[in-house]
Every structure is written in C-alpha cells, then in structure tokens.
C-alpha cells in the first residue's frame, strides 16, 4: 500500500488548520476529524475526545499566542501499525510550529520574538477521517526560549533541533516497501536489546549493536541532545539507567516505518520509580508514567538519529513537581 490517500488527507488538514483563525479552527477540526475523535496530548492537555474540544483547549490558545503560525516539518511518513498487525494506518509528522510569541500561553510570558514549539504527531486515518491523534510538544523548551528554567541544568545540549542530516525526511511520495521493513527490523532489534539491562557488555558496546558510531539522540529539554555513542552513554543512557530502580515497559500504541524512517508512541510507554539523581532530582519513592514518542532514521543496518519527545511535565507532576503551576507564583517582567 502506498498510503498516498492518507498522506494527502493529513497534508490538506495541515494546510487548512495552520491558516485558520477563530471559529475556522473548530470548523477545520470537525471537517477532517471523526466525531468520536481521540486526541492524546502533552500535559496539561492529556486526552480530549472530540474535535471541538481540541480546537478550544489547544489550537485556539496556541494560535493566539504564536502569531502567524508556521509549520516547519522535518519528517513526514506513513505506514501500517505493527502493533495491531497492520490493521490501522497512521500518518506521522515531526518538526516545529514557529510563530511570533506575542501573548502568554499556559502562563509562559511572551517574548515578542520568534519562538519554536517542537512537536511530533501520529494521526490514525480511517474512512477519509482522522480518528486518533497523539501529539507531543516540548513545552519546557518553549519555556527556556522565554528565559525560564523549568528543570535543573541538563546533562546534554538543547537547541532548536534540526531535522535529518540527510534532509530527506519528507516522504510525500511512495517509498520502497523493503526499506521500511529494514527500518522496522532495526527499531525492533534496538527495543528488544535495550530491555536486557543486565547485559555483560559495556554500555557503549551494547549500544553499538543497534546504533552507528556517529549517532545523535535528540532528547527533550531537561535532558538535551547528545552526539556519538560515547557521549550518549555518558550524557543520557547511563544516567537514565542509574536513575530508576524499578522499570516497567508498557508497550506501544502505534509503531510504523517507511523508507529509512520509523517511530512509535505509547500511552504510557514506561512506568518508572526514581531512585535519585535523574535530571538533578532526588528519589521520590513514587512510580510515574512516561509518555514517549520516538522517531528514528536508519543508516545501513543500524539506527543513526533519534528524535525523542517525553512528557516530562506529566512525569514530574506525578512526582509532586507542578512545573506549570509554579509559573503562577513567579513574577515576570
């Protein structure tokens, strides 16, 4: 299957939504999305269950805050969901929503300058309608652009993250099926291999089984991005493993691959109990859920780039830290 019909539907949806204002946003959501639409979003939005609710609680306020909103996509792909045996088709896009930050959003003070909201969205398409969406966006990164520090200093770097080094992530045209199968195989090998946390190999050698030496892990604000296996082990993978004494994998809702790109999301992917030190926070003794989107680029037989979206606001809120709530008590200039 070439997924061209589903891709075009999502592209038409984006074209209408990104240029809409006011009630036209609601009309666009209702025109492209099914009445029983399920939308899964980053904290504090969580689940919304009809198109109008998504327009009212998310898109209208965002358009009001980021004027002249522009979608800058870096990855666009589609595929059959490997989790449900290929029964559903999902279209995925990733990039930034850019605009002029001229009004407050979620208590974040405006800057009057360009701002970038990093996002990734999975859309399930059925019978010419979008029936489900999982959309994660890096709110802490937007806070950092406004001069705020939502978390302690991170172990890696966080920038306005670029798309694939190869600049070929917009898969608007049909892709060879074999390439998608290779990408899915590489993702599955990595997920299975990483679950063996008691490996006798060094962390770096374990990672080399799945990743190319010049890998880049584009992590969320609060953790940061890191380059090469050695630095990834030092700046994220090692601290992550050391920071949680109990880890439970809950599975994924959708997983697809097309061409050299693929990814998945869960709701939640992981349930973890902090044992102290991760992201600079002490142990809490409380289990918390991590909702994660991962997007991958394969080079050869291994993975080489990984864009990661983690709902850290939700996770730390479960630990007793209300990052957005603190904005209400902090005066801004």
């Amino acid at each position: 299957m070439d997924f061209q019909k589903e891709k075009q539907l999502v592209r038409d949806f984006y074209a209408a939504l990104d240029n809409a204002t006011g009630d036209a946003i609601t009309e666009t959501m209702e025109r492209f999305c099914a009445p029983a639409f399920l939308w899964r979003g980053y904290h504090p939005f969580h689940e919304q269950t009809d198109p109008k609710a998504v327009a009212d609680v998310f898109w209208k306020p965002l358009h009001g805050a980021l004027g002249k909103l522009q979608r800058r996509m870096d990855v666009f792909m589609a595929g059959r969901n490997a989790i449900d045996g290929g029964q559903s088709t999902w279209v995925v896009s990733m990039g930034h929503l850019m605009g002029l930050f001229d009004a407050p959003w979620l208590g974040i003070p405006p800057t009057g300058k360009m701002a970038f909201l990093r996002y990734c969205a999975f859309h399930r398409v059925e019978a010419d309608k979008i029936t489900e969406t999982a959309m994660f966006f890096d709110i802490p990164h937007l806070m950092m652009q406004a001069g705020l520090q939502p978390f302690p200093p991170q172990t890696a770097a966080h920038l306005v993250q670029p798309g694939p080094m190869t600049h070929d992530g917009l898969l608007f045209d049909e892709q060879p099926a074999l390439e998608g199968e290779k990408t899915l195989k590489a993702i599955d090998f990595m997920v299975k291999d990483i679950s063996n946390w008691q490996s006798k190999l060094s962390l770096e050698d374990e990672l080399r089984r799945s990743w190319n030496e010049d890998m880049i892990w584009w992590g969320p604000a609060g953790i940061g991005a890191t380059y090469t296996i050695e630095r990834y082990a030092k700046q994220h993978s090692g601290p992550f493993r050391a920071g949680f004494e109990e880890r439970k994998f809950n599975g994924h809702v959708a997983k697809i691959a097309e061409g050299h790109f693929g990814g998945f999301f869960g709701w939640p992917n992981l349930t973890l109990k902090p044992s102290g030190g991760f992201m600079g926070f002490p142990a809490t003794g409380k289990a918390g859920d991590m909702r994660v989107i991962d997007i991958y680029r394969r080079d050869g037989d291994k993975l080489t780039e990984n864009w990661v979206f983690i709902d850290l606001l939700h996770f730390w809120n479960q630990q007793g830290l209300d990052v957005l709530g603190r904005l209400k008590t902090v005066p801004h200039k």
Side-chain angles (χ1 to χ4, degrees):
M1 186 175 181
D2 61 15
F3 312 115
Q4 294 305 101
K5 184 178 181 181
E6 291 85 355
K7 288 181 180 179
Q8 191 60 55
L9 175 71
V10 172
R11 294 179 70 183
D12 291 345
F13 170 59
Y14 284 168
L17 181 64
D18 296 346
N19 292 292
T21 58
D23 291 340
I25 295 175
T26 304
E27 187 277 329
T28 299
M29 291 295 301
E30 292 178 334
R31 174 156 52 98
F32 284 92
C33 302
F37 180 55
L38 173 60
W39 188 87
R40 300 177 175 96
Y42 201 98
H43 176 90
F45 301 101
H46 304 288
E47 292 187 358
Q48 306 294 325
T49 54
D50 69 78
K52 184 178 185 302
V54 178
D56 289 342
V57 304
F58 179 71
W59 283 113
K60 287 182 181 179
L62 183 65
H63 272 269
L66 293 179
K68 299 187 181 297
L69 191 71
Q70 185 179 99
R71 185 183 302 266
R72 303 178 66 85
M73 284 197 298
D74 295 311
V75 172
F76 185 86
M77 60 182 173
R80 293 283 195 182
N81 184 4
I83 302 301
D84 64 10
Q87 295 301 303
S88 57
T89 297
W90 295 73
V91 179
V92 178
S93 77
M94 184 198 79
H96 293 82
L97 299 175
M98 185 197 78
L100 299 173
F101 197 3
D102 287 342
W105 187 58
L106 301 175
I108 306 170
T111 64
K113 304 174 183 179
M114 294 169 62
F116 292 79
L117 182 63
R118 180 172 169 258
Y119 87 94
C120 186
F122 276 64
H123 304 285
R124 180 173 180 168
V125 178
E126 300 175 277
D128 298 323
K129 293 286 185 180
I130 299 170
T131 59
E132 292 183 49
T133 291
M135 185 176 179
F136 292 10
F137 24 89
D138 201 338
I139 293 174
H141 182 224
L142 186 68
M143 296 173 70
M144 292 167 63
Q145 292 172 64
L148 304 176
Q149 292 297 328
F151 300 118
Q154 54 197 13
T155 54
H158 194 96
L159 313 167
V160 175
Q161 297 186 359
M165 185 183 71
T166 46
H167 299 280
D168 59 355
L170 299 178
L171 308 185
F172 295 143
D173 298 324
E174 184 177 356
Q175 303 296 310
L178 181 59
E179 295 300 325
E181 293 169 7
K182 290 179 180 178
T183 301
L184 192 61
K185 182 179 180 180
I187 294 171
D188 286 342
F189 179 85
M190 181 275 303
V191 170
K192 183 178 180 180
D193 208 44
I194 203 173
S195 65
N196 181 19
W197 292 38
Q198 305 301 320
S199 173
K200 295 181 180 180
L201 296 173
S202 69
L203 177 54
E204 290 85 353
D205 285 343
E206 177 192 326
L207 292 168
R208 289 186 177 99
R209 289 163 51 87
S210 301
W211 299 90
N212 289 308
E213 198 68 37
D214 61 347
M215 67 167 292
I216 303 180
W217 191 84
W218 299 105
I223 301 174
T226 184
Y227 171 49
T228 74
I229 284 177
E230 184 269 333
R231 295 298 171 86
Y232 172 62
K234 179 180 179 181
Q235 295 175 340
H236 175 64
S237 186
F240 184 87
R241 295 189 184 196
F244 298 100
E245 63 183 15
E246 295 182 18
R247 301 173 289 268
K248 177 186 175 184
F249 175 59
N250 301 308
H252 302 129
V253 175
K255 178 174 62 178
I256 71 160
E258 187 180 27
H260 286 77
F261 295 85
F264 53 69
F265 82 90
W267 195 260
N269 308 54
L270 301 166
T271 300
L272 307 162
K273 182 181 290 187
S275 53
F278 183 66
M279 291 180 61
F281 292 111
T284 64
K286 301 177 182 178
D289 293 333
M290 276 194 178
R291 302 165 175 170
V292 184
I293 285 179
D294 276 85
I295 300 297
Y296 299 92
R297 178 172 72 86
R298 174 182 57 82
D299 185 0
D301 294 330
K302 296 181 181 180
L303 304 174
T304 204
E305 287 192 89
N306 181 197
W307 296 263
V308 184
F309 299 76
I310 305 174
D311 191 346
L312 293 173
L313 294 186
H314 175 60
F315 178 79
W316 289 115
N317 191 59
Q318 291 183 307
Q319 306 303 311
L321 175 62
D322 184 356
V323 175
L324 291 177
R326 292 191 302 177
L327 292 179
K328 300 175 183 178
T329 63
V330 178
H332 305 297
K333 295 180 180 180

